[in-house]
Amino acid sequence: MDDDFNMDDFLGEEFDGFQERMQDFHDKMRAESMAEAYRFINEVGILFWIRKDMYVKNSRKLNILNKMVEYFCELEEFEKCAYLMKGVRVLDSKENETV
């Protein structure tokens, strides 16, 4: 049994396109998650969302916002990026604190 395992041989022809389908699923889930997160933050207000959970570190909130800004910039939805950047600026100014 010196042969290397080949996933394509194992899955066979009936699973052709499996990677593409998984990537499509991943992309759709990411898009839906980002859109829903933005809707929530927009609904409650960016400053309220930042201050809402005192026990979540600012670094985590900043990471979330930065990933969302990156995502929406890729889509060229710059109004959303600008709105999210308000929160990024507030968090940057309060580094290592809980807002």
Side-chain angles (χ1 to χ4, degrees), residues 18-88:
F18 179 73
Q19 280 188 311
E20 291 82 13
R21 289 193 304 261
M22 287 304 294
Q23 185 62 46
D24 288 345
F25 175 75
H26 175 268
D27 294 344
K28 287 177 186 175
M29 296 289 18
R30 182 176 183 230
E32 191 173 316
S33 298
M34 290 291 183
E36 188 59 34
Y38 181 83
R39 276 192 294 273
F40 176 76
I41 291 171
N42 189 43
E43 187 176 302
V44 299
I46 188 77
L47 297 178
F48 178 77
W49 179 78
I50 289 171
R51 292 184 179 106
K52 180 180 162 192
D53 192 350
M54 298 184 321
Y55 303 104
V56 175
K57 291 185 178 184
N58 288 341
S59 60
R60 185 169 180 207
K61 295 173 192 173
L62 190 57
N63 185 40
I64 291 167
L65 290 176
N66 282 328
K67 287 185 185 290
M68 291 178 71
V69 168
E70 181 182 324
Y71 175 77
F72 287 116
C73 282
E74 288 173 11
L75 297 178
E76 297 182 2
E77 295 189 31
F78 301 117
E79 296 83 12
K80 290 179 180 178
C81 295
Y83 182 69
L84 295 168
M85 283 304 296
K86 289 180 187 179
V88 170

Side-chain angles (χ1 to χ4, degrees), residues 6-17:
N6 185 320
M7 184 61 100
D8 292 330
D9 291 341
F10 177 74
L11 293 175
E13 289 181 25
E14 65 186 57
F15 288 101
D16 282 347

